[in-house]
Amino acid sequence: MRNFRQHELRQVQVLDGIWDFAYLGDVNIDLVAVDRIQYDDRMAVPGCFDATPKYAGKRGLTAYHRTLQVRQAGRQRLVFDSVHLWCRVYVNGINIGEHRTGFSRFALDFELENPGEVELVVLVDNRLDKSRSPLHLDYFDWYHYGGISRSIALHSLDDVWIEDVRIITQDHATRTVEVTVVFGGAQREDVPLTISVDGKVMSEARVRSSDGTRHTFTYQLTNAALWSPESPSLHWLRVEMGEDDWIDRFGIRTVRTGEQRVWINGKATRLLGFNRHEIHPQFGYALPDGILITDAQLLKQMGCNFVRGSHYPQDERFLDLCDELGLLVWNEAIGWQHTAEHLNDPDFIDEQKRNIQEMVAVGKNHPCVILWGILNESRSDDPACRAGYEILLGELRRLDPSRLLTYATCHPFEDLNYDLVDVISINRYPGWYEGEIDGIPAVLDRLAADVDERGWKEKPLIISEIGAGAVPGWHDMNRTRWSEEYQAALYDTVIEHLFVEMNRVSGLALWVFADFRSSESAGRILVRPRGYNNKGVVDEYRRPKQAFEVVRRWFSRLT
Ligand code: ADA
């Protein structure tokens, strides 16, 4: 689902709504008789079933069911924007495929002989089983919700169709863009193809099509407005191929690094913003439009121009909003504190690669996305992890050479992989996990000096996490940890030191935008009052804490 209609000719049915539902519990999936499931409940799609009061905290297998009318026989494509944590899909009782990881879009195809009623069953499992869901691990510092967490649509395809469209800005000065159209389906000669930009026909051709064929066109869009955080101008691309069409939006913008800075369209741009989890107590990961808009509005209100999607690919509807409002995005594949055990496990690496491919497939035409990230706070200081970093960053570079690569390290002084990235990103919690607020400037100075001394003087440096917990509504004259006063004072010191007293750092993603439920794993609850990570500047319902105003004052002055 996008914030606009992506197809006008292709038949697309959005399947969101209220579905039949059954909670089956801790059962063996392979023993479930799919045709005999008793649907005794109803559930929202998109939605996370364990964010509803009745199923809160439950882990088990569930079944979602509905019927639909399909008007066109032939190839059908079910597009799932995300299912957590694992799913298997049945169409008219036949298993058409499985998917392992949440937060990313995937498609399952099937053939329909005759138009008519189709029965759909999606088995969804939120149990933490490493063999089935190797990227959702129990020790992560966020709660693993389950469900059909983003939209589903059914696309009815003809015998030839548009499989994908990619738009890359080659040069912002001359407004040169490259458009690649990929075809799917049967082999055909002489297929009509029309491409237009902002309503003006740019190419009209008859082309040869077969599954996987690509055709690339280069256009110079003289006088077209550029996209930037200050002026986020967007353009419309429309591709028509016989009965099929594909509409997308793009921005003309380039991103590169140089002289310790990130350059957007040749302008050095300081990145100021937050880490953002896509979680809400009442919706889990399935944020309604109103919450997405609230998040984007609050970030803009604080003067942010930057958001890090921690620690997984963000909903495309949020990327659409960032395109529209001019928020630069670091989009990140799912990951949290992985070790050599994970990074040397072929199954883990394969699934990471798939998550990266799915993330790039969704994010690649969004001008807001400037950075790709991986493996938050993993053992980048361990030589045994180096190969894993090489494989995954290599995959990202192969898929998208037009954007910058990074990962957030929490081992800055021993890190071994800075050579593989364009931007060095460091997570550190001075004044919270180490020392007091007055020790923060010295820690930040030492971090920056070390990067330079080790030979990375040219690379931009982002402080990708820094922050303090504040239990919402907890005020304290002594300004102790967990009070709103302490958090506000910490942010004040951090921002002033980074951008008034220092000049080395090119970006900041404060930890974190909103409070969010953490995992139940042993021990963590003792440092997570309420079971929440309380480091948000707004609480889990997006109500501002004292630090909100401190950040707003600084960021509005600095941007
Ligand atoms: C780490 C981690 C975050 C969060 C944070 C915290 O830096 O990257 O996801 O867990 O610590 O709040 O302690």
Side-chain angles (χ1 to χ4, degrees), residues 533-545:
N533 187 311
N534 294 292
K535 298 189 187 74
V537 286
V538 298
D539 73 4
E540 62 276 23
Y541 292 101
R542 279 58 176 166
R543 294 172 297 199
K545 300 182 195 171

Side-chain angles (χ1 to χ4, degrees), residues 446-458:
R446 195 152 42 82
L447 287 171
D450 177 72
V451 169
D452 292 353
E453 279 157 23
R454 291 208 285 147
W456 307 112
K457 236 184 164 65
E458 281 303 300

